[in-house]
């Protein structure tokens, strides 16, 4: 295996969601400067889900016009679009246009939609492209996908996004607008170390790096020896070729999956029955719904009652846990469907605890205890670590089933995220079911 190919696959994967992930972590600095205010996250959620028109188009083309869509050209197009849109955000994100007499951040919303189309469509184009490389590099790709959330979060921390200082309120009682008394504290956000414009230019540079990596994956001579003999070969076909040459070699096949010469279904290589295929995709959709939309939408509610430090530490460690799970998968690859089911139940149970604390916010269990904050940080680590590992293993399982399986893998990833967003959006943004409380003055019995 080539170290260069691993590096390029990682950098390529990093371009999958870096733009939207970066936009979300930058919201505390953007919101005070746009007319939409804190309604902006709700608008962005709707735009991101509308952007699923991209993966829907690719999936339908693959289903009804197989082979007619130039996969490489589509990847070049969407990465290039993401690079340009991120760069333009650096210049126009604060521009306001009157729409029906109401000021709106039209440029910000339109460019965000383009970024969302890029990232959503990457799920059904980047993964199938990885069929051209040997199976080992798919795990490296997932590491890069995890880094697409970690790197923007780390840069935002350096920038000083969302850092709160609680200071004494010096206003007299009759001048306060929120009813707070003179003995209460006021939350003051620390000024950023550099502007949002610089942050958006950083995102554009990351997309450009991903574009260069994709270019080298296609044309660098050193990558050629790491390609599969047939770019659309399934794992079963590769095994037959290996057996024809002598000893059977199954370095990336599931050791828990019994070898069989009889097709159990018409899906992929036929190694799984339709019941198992449905089970795999249900788990994949469920895991992505939890990790991509359901729990992230309530992260602030679950963590902020324990303090601003607990919130930032949870966010950073959750972002670290994603690529860490992918890195573990490089060395420990367990594809037993039963094991993945147990791991999914474990992560879901931890996610249920996180959701419970969000529902009980601003007064969750052990709210004033250090152990409560530590348990919340640990919960986010275990939740992301376990379910990210499940996502990687399912990706490897479907990779062995062929190019078509990976296209459907990306489609189910987006479908799960969509269903999670549709479920949480009204609860969080319309009905106001969750309450974060005041970071400096919350009092619980």
């Amino acid at each position: 295996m080539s170290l260069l190919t691993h590096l390029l696959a990682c950098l390529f994967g990093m371009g999958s969601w870096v733009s939207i992930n970066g936009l979300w972590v930058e919201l505390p600095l953007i919101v005070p400067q746009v007319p939409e205010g804190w309604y902006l996250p709700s608008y962005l959620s709707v735009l991101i889900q509308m952007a699923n028109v991209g993966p829907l188009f690719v999936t339908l083309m693959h289903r009804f016009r197989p082979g007619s869509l130039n996969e490489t050209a589509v990847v070049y197009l969407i990465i290039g679009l993401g690079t340009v849109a991120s760069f333009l955000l650096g210049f126009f994100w604060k521009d306001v246009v009157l729409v029906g007499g109401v000021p709106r951040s039209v440029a910000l919303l339109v460019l965000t939609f383009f970024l969302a189309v890029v990232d959503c469509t990457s799920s059904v184009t980047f993964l199938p492209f990885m069929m051209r490389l040997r199976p080992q590099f798919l795990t490296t790709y997932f590491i890069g996908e995890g880094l697409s959330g970690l790197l923007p979060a780390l840069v935002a921390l350096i920038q000083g996004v969302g850092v709160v200082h609680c200071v004494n309120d010096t206003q007299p009682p009759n001048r306060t607008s929120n009813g707070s008394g003179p003995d209460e504290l006021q939350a003051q956000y620390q000024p950023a170390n550099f502007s949002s414009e610089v942050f958006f230019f950083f995102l554009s540079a990351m997309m450009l790096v991903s574009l260069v990596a994709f270019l080298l994956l296609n044309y660098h001579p050193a990558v050629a020896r790491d390609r599969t003999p047939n770019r659309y070969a399934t794992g079963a076909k590769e095994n037959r070729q290996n057996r024809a040459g002598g000893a059977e070699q199954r370095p990336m096949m599931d050791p828990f999956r019994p070898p069989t010469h009889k097709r159990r279904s018409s899906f992929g290589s036929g190694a799984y029955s339709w019941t198992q295929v449905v089970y795999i995709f249900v788990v994949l959709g469920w895991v992505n719904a939890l990790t991509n939309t359901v729990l992230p939408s309530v992260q602030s509610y679950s963590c902020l009652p324990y303090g601003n430090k607990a919130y930032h530490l949870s966010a950073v460690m959750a972002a670290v846990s994603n690529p860490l799970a992918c890195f573990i998968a490089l060395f420990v690859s367990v594809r037993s469907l039963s094991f993945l089911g147990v791991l999914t139940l474990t992560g879901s149970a931890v996610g249920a605890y996180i959701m419970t604390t969000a529902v009980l916010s601003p007064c969750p269990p052990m709210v004033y205890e250090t152990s409560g904050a530590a348990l919340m940080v640990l919960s986010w680590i275990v939740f992301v670590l376990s379910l990210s590992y499940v996502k990687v293993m399912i990706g490897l399982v479907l990779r062995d089933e062929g190019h078509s399986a990976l296209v459907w893998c990306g489609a189910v990833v987006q479908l799960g995220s969509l269903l999670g967003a549709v479920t949480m959006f009204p609860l969080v943004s319309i009905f106001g079911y969750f309450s974060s409380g005041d970071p400096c003055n919350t009092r619980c019995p």
Side-chain angles (χ1 to χ4, degrees), residues 208 212 218-219 231 255 295 298 317 342 402:
L208 185 60
V212 173
N218 278 293
Y219 298 108
R231 80 186 199 191
L295 269 299
V298 298
M317 294 308 299
V342 171

Side-chain angles (χ1 to χ4, degrees), residues 22 24-30 152-153 155-164 189-194 196 199 308 311-312:
W24 277 113
V25 299
E26 191 70 3
L27 281 180
L29 294 183
I30 297 176
V155 173
L157 282 179
I158 297 172
Q159 187 183 15
V161 171
V163 178
V164 176
Y189 287 87
Q190 175 180 303
N193 296 320
F194 53 87
S196 295
F199 186 83
N308 197 58
Y311 171 62
H312 280 284

Side-chain angles (χ1 to χ4, degrees), residues 349-386:
V350 176
Y353 171 75
I354 295 173
M355 181 62 73
T356 301
T357 61
V359 170
L360 297 177
S361 175
C363 297
M366 299 181 288
V367 64
Y368 294 126
E369 300 178 21
T370 303
S371 58
L375 180 60
M376 178 50 56
V377 174
L378 180 63
S379 297
W380 272 99
I381 294 173
V382 173
F383 167 73
V384 176
L385 196 66
S386 57

Side-chain angles (χ1 to χ4, degrees), residues 16-269:
S16 57
W17 282 94
V18 69
S19 298
I20 292 299
N21 287 334
L23 188 61
W24 277 113
V25 299
E26 191 70 3
L27 281 180
L29 294 183
I30 297 176
V31 164
Q33 303 184 58
V34 296
E36 289 80 8
W38 279 109
Y39 287 104
L40 180 63
S42 300
Y43 296 155
L44 296 186
S45 298
V46 173
L47 287 174
I48 292 171
Q49 300 316 314
M50 289 173 59
N52 278 302
V53 65
L56 177 62
F57 171 76
V58 173
T59 304
L60 291 177
M61 287 292 291
H62 172 75
R63 174 65 180 85
F64 297 107
R65 298 288 300 274
S68 62
L69 198 63
N70 189 325
E71 194 173 79
T72 303
V74 173
V75 175
Y76 277 123
L77 176 63
I78 63 174
I79 299 181
L81 178 61
T83 304
V84 173
S86 300
F87 186 75
L88 292 177
L89 269 178
F91 293 100
F92 302 112
W93 72 272
K94 287 193 292 188
D95 286 8
V96 175
V97 177
L98 290 178
V99 179
V102 179
R104 295 295 182 192
S105 304
V106 174
L108 174 63
L109 297 175
V110 170
L111 291 173
T112 297
F113 175 75
F114 286 131
L115 290 179
V117 169
V118 170
D119 291 359
C120 292
T121 309
S122 71
S123 297
V124 292
T125 52
F126 286 19
L127 276 175
F129 170 80
M130 293 304 297
M131 278 294 299
R132 305 186 183 193
L133 301 175
R134 297 190 182 277
Q136 294 86 342
F137 298 104
L138 183 60
T139 305
T140 312
Y141 166 85
F142 281 121
I143 293 177
E145 192 174 80
L147 291 175
S148 71
L150 174 60
L151 287 183
L154 292 179
V155 173
L157 282 179
I158 297 172
Q159 187 183 15
V161 171
V163 178
V164 176
H165 293 293
C166 296
V167 298
N168 288 326
D169 180 15
T170 57
Q171 291 182 330
N174 61 351
R175 293 182 60 188
T176 56
S177 59
N178 59 357
S180 61
D183 295 331
E184 294 188 339
L185 300 176
Q186 291 291 324
Q188 288 188 355
Y189 287 87
Q190 175 180 303
N193 296 320
F194 53 87
S195 66
S196 295
E197 287 82 354
V198 174
F199 186 83
F200 287 130
F201 292 147
F202 159 76
L203 294 182
S204 180
M206 295 303 300
M207 291 298 296
L208 185 60
V209 168
S210 179
L211 180 60
V212 173
F214 181 66
L215 186 69
L216 293 176
L217 283 173
N218 278 293
Y219 298 108
H220 198 286
V223 180
R225 64 176 179 269
D226 294 318
R227 294 196 179 102
T228 53
N230 182 344
R231 80 186 199 191
Y232 295 119
T234 64
K237 184 174 181 179
E238 291 174 350
N239 283 340
R240 287 196 297 270
Q241 292 172 343
N242 290 331
R243 285 194 293 271
E248 179 180 358
Q249 300 176 6
R250 303 173 66 225
M252 291 297 294
M253 295 300 289
D254 185 359
F256 295 90
R257 187 175 70 187
T260 177
H261 298 286
K262 181 180 179 182
R263 292 179 62 90
R264 304 175 66 184
S265 70
S266 58
F267 180 80
S269 66

